[in-house]
Amino acid sequence: AGTDRVVVVAIPLLGPTHRERYRLDAVVVVDCPVEIALERLVTDRAMDPADAKARMAAQLSREERLALADFVVDNSSTRQHLLAEVDRLWEWIAEAGRYHRG
């Protein structure tokens, strides 16, 4: 079976109601430890540390996001590791019937 029915919806402020609101078949969370996320916002996006902390505080906690996830992509390491995680995700999505609401 092909995977031409896969639609990705990026939801920056994921919440418990999104699964039903958008009729999502699955929720994928890209995860890394809070310390790494904060460091990346400050270093890679040149955010002020206080602003980065405020942005993170406005979102669900890491634990809450993970509890909503059907699949977790580990983004705590290198770009090469992340690419391998994306391949692992795609394999999970492509499993028969995983992506199609019957």
Side-chain angles (χ1 to χ4, degrees), residues 13 34 41 50-61 64-65:
L13 297 175
V34 173
L41 286 172
D51 291 341
K53 287 178 185 177
R55 174 183 282 193
M56 292 172 66
Q59 300 174 354
L60 290 180
S61 71
E64 290 170 312
R65 283 191 309 275

Side-chain angles (χ1 to χ4, degrees), residues 33-92:
V34 173
E35 302 78 24
I36 292 174
L38 179 60
E39 178 185 329
R40 288 176 179 169
L41 286 172
V42 171
T43 304
D44 300 344
R45 296 190 185 179
M47 288 187 73
D48 176 78
D51 291 341
K53 287 178 185 177
R55 174 183 282 193
M56 292 172 66
Q59 300 174 354
L60 290 180
S61 71
R62 181 181 186 201
E63 292 76 20
E64 290 170 312
R65 283 191 309 275
L66 292 174
L68 295 173
D70 297 303
F71 190 95
V72 178
V73 173
D74 174 25
N75 188 19
S76 64
S77 187
T78 64
R79 185 168 184 82
Q80 183 177 5
H81 173 78
L82 179 59
L83 292 174
E85 285 289 284
V86 171
D87 288 343
R88 188 173 68 87
L89 169 61
W90 188 249
E91 288 174 16
W92 182 79

Side-chain angles (χ1 to χ4, degrees), residues 12-32:
L13 297 175
L14 177 67
T17 62
H18 286 109
R19 184 182 300 267
E20 289 305 316
R21 181 183 306 158
Y22 297 112
R23 299 181 53 195
L24 304 174
D25 289 325
V27 172
V28 175
V29 170
V30 179
D31 178 62
C32 71

